[in-house]
């Protein structure tokens, strides 16, 4: 199974968020799955590193627009790089090439990834697959969103977003819902 992990570019080695992301990469690899990340720094680097050090396959999805803006290249733990010209192409690949996605804490870019992924699920432009958000921050954010904007959602739209308190639970949800979605819409 291919699991995309989204998250912030801010965490640095030794920080709690970096350590958690590394652990998630390790868990994904030890479970026999490939991991896709944005391929650069922060969460992307940590997940890639954890997966690579556990013997897993790491796919880094990169793009020229990010590299011109940030002057970065793929992190050294990426084993397979899929390079695109634009950020939109990169996001499409991260979303369509996975069987499940796990989202760690992040900023506006991570929120954009969630929103695009979620909307593609809602309009059936993407076959059913789990979108698992990790942490109380995402849970509170979406509770506030649903309270404020729930009238603008169709019944059942929120079923596409799963919440997990831990990375272990997130991986469990991703595996179980991905396995179920190939047989029937399990959401």
């Amino acid at each position: 199974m291919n699991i995309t992990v989204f998250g912030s570019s801010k965490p640095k080695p030794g920080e709690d968020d970096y350590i958690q992301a590394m652990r998630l990469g390790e868990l994904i690899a030890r479970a026999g799955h490939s991991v896709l990340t944005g391929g650069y720094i922060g969460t992307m680097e940590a997940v890639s590193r954890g997966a690579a050090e556990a013997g897993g396959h790491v796919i880094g999805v990169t793009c020229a627009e990010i590299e011109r803006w940030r002057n970065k290249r793929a992190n050294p733990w990426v084993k397979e790089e899929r390079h695109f010209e634009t950020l939109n192409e990169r996001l499409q690949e991260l979303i369509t090439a996975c069987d499940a996605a796990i989202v760690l804490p992040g900023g506006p870019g991570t929120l954009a990834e969630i929103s695009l992924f979620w909307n593609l699920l809602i309009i059936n432009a993407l076959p059913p697959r789990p979108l698992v958000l990790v942490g109380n921050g995402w849970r509170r954010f979406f509770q506030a969103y649903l309270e404020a904007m729930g009238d603008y959602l169709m019944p059942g739209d929120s079923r596409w977003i799963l919440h997990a308190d831990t990375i272990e639970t997130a991986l469990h949800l991703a595996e179980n819902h991905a396995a179920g979605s190939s047989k029937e819409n399990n959401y």
Side-chain angles (χ1 to χ4, degrees):
M1 180 163 80
N2 288 337
I3 299 177
T4 290
V5 179
F6 295 114
S8 174
S9 63
K10 300 236 183 271
K12 296 186 179 5
E15 295 177 355
D16 288 343
D17 285 347
Y18 190 97
I19 293 166
Q20 274 296 98
M22 245 183 97
R23 176 75 178 131
L24 177 59
E26 177 188 352
L27 291 172
I28 290 169
R30 291 198 189 286
H33 308 303
S34 294
V35 65
L36 291 92
T37 74
Y40 297 112
I41 59 176
T43 297
M44 299 168 279
E45 175 186 302
V47 170
S48 300
R49 181 178 176 182
E53 289 179 355
H57 186 66
V58 178
I59 302 165
V61 184
T62 60
C63 74
E65 286 180 339
I66 294 286
E67 291 170 1
R68 284 191 296 270
W69 169 67
R70 185 173 268 154
N71 195 27
K72 294 283 182 195
R73 299 288 180 255
N75 70 64
W77 292 278
V78 168
K79 291 185 180 177
E80 175 187 340
E81 184 176 6
R82 297 180 187 173
H83 189 76
F84 295 91
E85 179 60 31
T86 69
L87 179 60
N88 285 335
E89 291 170 311
R90 175 181 178 241
L91 292 176
Q92 277 299 125
E93 181 69 9
L94 285 163
I95 292 169
T96 60
C98 72
D99 302 297
I102 297 175
V103 185
L104 297 172
T110 308
L111 181 58
E113 292 159 347
I114 293 168
S115 296
L116 180 58
F117 199 113
W118 184 27
N119 196 56
L120 291 171
L121 288 169
I122 288 170
I123 67 169
N124 296 311
L126 189 64
R129 60 193 65 186
L131 174 59
V132 185
L133 282 58
V134 181
N136 197 37
W138 288 127
R139 187 183 308 271
R140 286 194 327 261
F141 178 89
F142 276 93
Q143 285 171 340
Y145 175 78
L146 293 173
E147 259 181 51
M149 302 292 178
D151 291 344
Y152 298 99
L153 295 170
M154 299 296 291
D157 283 353
S158 62
R159 79 183 189 278
W160 296 108
I161 294 180
L162 305 169
H163 291 280
D165 292 326
T166 67
I167 57 172
E168 292 82 7
T169 302
L171 180 56
H172 177 76
L173 287 170
E175 289 174 325
N176 286 346
H177 283 272
S181 68
S182 65
K183 297 175 191 156
E184 61 182 87
N185 187 342
N186 215 19
Y187 299 92

